[in-house]
Amino acid sequence: MPEPDVTPGASMRVDVWLWAVRMFRARSAATAAAKGGHVHVDGARAKPAQKITAGQTIRVRTPGGERILVVRAMLSTRAGAPIAQQCYEDRTPPPDPALRAPVPRRDKGMGRPTKKDRRDLDRLRGRSSR
């Protein structure tokens, strides 16, 4: 079982670290995210081979949303979730409760929404009809 490396000055590639701490299912996905500009280290866009050390802040956009992580330790290979969580501090703000509200649904068999229904839905969503 791999142990987190907390030695000062230890560094590793950002794509390998993201894969090792289970932000991506495959290393190739972590590399593609870095190449696509979805990974930022200390506010600057990161290339896949960029070296990171403990204390740096990483912003990564994953299919689940954007995550803000502070590197605490290095992990030589992919490990289980409890070990991986020891290697970073998650500073991602909680999601906006308004975005987590259930989507209004129409009963089955009601047909298409009428103009009045559409206006009511727009008002519920916070959009004005005029």
Side-chain angles (χ1 to χ4, degrees), residues 2-111:
E3 290 294 319
D5 181 13
V6 290
T7 56
S11 67
M12 69 186 305
R13 290 172 56 120
V14 68
D15 62 339
V16 176
W17 186 83
L18 288 169
W19 167 75
V21 297
R22 307 180 76 82
M23 289 298 122
F24 292 96
R25 294 183 122 198
R27 183 171 167 198
S28 59
T31 303
K35 284 182 181 176
H38 302 294
V39 178
H40 291 77
V41 177
D42 291 333
R45 192 170 160 179
K47 292 183 178 179
Q50 181 175 335
K51 297 288 185 183
I52 58 168
T53 58
Q56 289 186 304
T57 302
I58 298 177
R59 291 179 86 101
V60 59
R61 190 169 31 204
T62 62
E66 187 175 51
R67 306 279 304 267
I68 302 170
L69 310 170
V70 177
V71 180
R72 284 197 172 161
M74 302 297 136
L75 201 55
S76 60
T77 186
R78 193 170 170 98
I83 294 173
Q85 288 173 348
Q86 295 173 8
C87 296
Y88 63 87
E89 177 185 342
D90 194 353
R91 291 196 180 164
T92 307
D96 186 13
L99 297 176
R100 303 192 124 236
V103 177
R105 303 248 182 230
R106 291 179 56 82
D107 292 332
K108 197 167 186 143
M110 291 290 295

